[in-house]
Amino acid sequence: MLPGYSAGVGAGWLERGGCKVIANIRGGGEYGPSWHQAALKEKRYKCYEDMEAVAQDLIDSKLTSREKLACIGGSNGGLMVGNLITRPIASSLFGAAVCQVPLLDMKRYSRLLAGASWMGEYGNPETSDWEFLRKHSPYHLLRHDILGKPELGKDDVLGDSTESSNHDWICPKTLFTTSTRDDRVHPGHARKMVAALIEEAGPEKAPKVHYWENTEGGHGGAADNSQRAHMWALTYNFLAKELGLKE
């Protein structure tokens, strides 16, 4: 990855005392096809393990602490953030998270907007691929594994409530952002995740959940520079407040 500079990051985050770390995780294209293919389909969990390893190293190196560490990602990166706030290890490593235009329900993603075109990357939930997709579908991890809510079985019959797989889970303070006019990732992903966190997890398990949906902007979340500036101001102000930076 080549170094670069973003004026928005500089003004909105670095000048306020924040630091930014880019985790070079498996699944990207930085080192060619093999690096990308290392986290496809049933191996998707590897990119989330890489994020956990980077976060743990930052804490172990005393560069930061859990209370001062946040993760941020959009689109496929939003799926990553969804996993980080629901996985047992990752959710204990971050004090805050920003989840932008995310994929979160991997059972239905292929039926919504451009989702079917990504089955080569993630898998087809209408086939046996669902067995591994289920393991990194944040909406299902939250509602069924963590909260123990009944889940539809293979015959579409609603099962029984189950014991939580992680009684100690507490959701990092999270901001979800999306766009009503997103033509790639349906805003329903973010809407239903936020509803589950607020209405089903509740304030004891999800103490702070914020949601912002722009009515314009497409998959980028903003239609022009003014809206883009507003979106990033919301993001960095949220992180500054929750991580204790000067506002």
Side-chain angles (χ1 to χ4, degrees):
M1 299 178 74
L2 297 175
Y5 178 75
S6 166
V9 175
W13 188 244
L14 301 180
E15 288 182 0
R16 301 164 81 168
C19 296
K20 181 176 181 178
V21 175
I22 298 177
N24 201 6
I25 61 177
R26 285 172 288 183
E30 293 81 11
Y31 298 119
S34 61
W35 187 252
H36 175 229
Q37 293 163 6
L40 289 181
K41 294 187 175 181
E42 72 276 8
K43 297 177 286 187
R44 199 76 194 173
Y45 68 92
K46 292 184 179 180
C47 62
Y48 311 134
E49 288 183 344
D50 287 355
M51 281 294 294
E52 290 172 343
V54 171
Q56 189 66 64
D57 185 67
L58 291 171
I59 294 170
D60 292 345
S61 302
K62 300 190 183 304
L63 294 172
T64 189
S65 63
R66 188 259 181 186
E67 294 75 19
K68 296 288 186 179
L69 183 61
C71 55
I72 182 170
S75 192
N76 176 50
L79 172 61
M80 177 194 70
V81 172
N83 273 272
L84 295 180
I85 65 175
T86 51
R87 286 170 60 92
I89 294 175
S91 59
S92 67
L93 296 174
F94 296 95
V98 178
C99 190
Q100 303 165 314
V101 290
L103 283 158
L104 295 167
D105 181 351
M106 299 308 287
K107 180 65 175 177
R108 295 174 177 80
Y109 87 94
S110 59
R111 299 185 179 186
L112 299 171
L113 301 179
S117 65
W118 305 323
M119 288 194 290
E121 178 89 7
Y122 300 119
N124 183 353
E126 306 297 327
T127 68
S128 60
D129 289 355
W130 175 239
E131 294 180 15
F132 62 76
L133 271 166
R134 168 67 174 76
K135 296 176 182 177
H136 54 258
S137 177
Y139 184 68
H140 293 82
L141 294 176
L142 171 65
R143 296 196 72 245
H144 309 306
D145 292 2
I146 295 173
L147 301 179
K149 300 296 181 182
E151 183 173 4
L152 286 176
K154 293 181 179 179
D155 53 1
D156 288 333
V157 175
L158 193 64
D160 297 323
S161 298
T162 59
E163 283 289 321
S164 172
S165 62
N166 186 5
H167 290 283
D168 297 327
W169 174 81
I170 299 293
C171 184
K173 300 168 184 175
T174 307
L175 168 65
F176 291 85
T177 68
T178 188
S179 168
T180 308
R181 296 188 181 182
D182 192 332
D183 58 356
R184 297 183 66 191
V185 177
H186 199 287
H189 285 275
R191 292 169 182 168
K192 66 196 300 183
M193 188 73 170
V194 169
L197 285 167
I198 293 175
E199 297 175 8
E200 296 180 327
E204 290 187 2
K205 288 293 185 182
K208 187 165 290 187
V209 179
H210 292 284
Y211 179 74
W212 181 73
E213 180 173 328
N214 189 10
T215 57
E216 299 179 300
H219 192 51
D224 53 37
N225 285 339
S226 177
Q227 292 184 8
R228 193 168 296 109
H230 179 75
M231 178 181 69
W232 282 108
L234 284 175
T235 298
Y236 289 130
N237 283 338
F238 164 78
L239 291 174
K241 180 178 180 180
E242 300 309 330
L243 300 182
L245 269 66
K246 59 184 179 182
E247 295 188 42

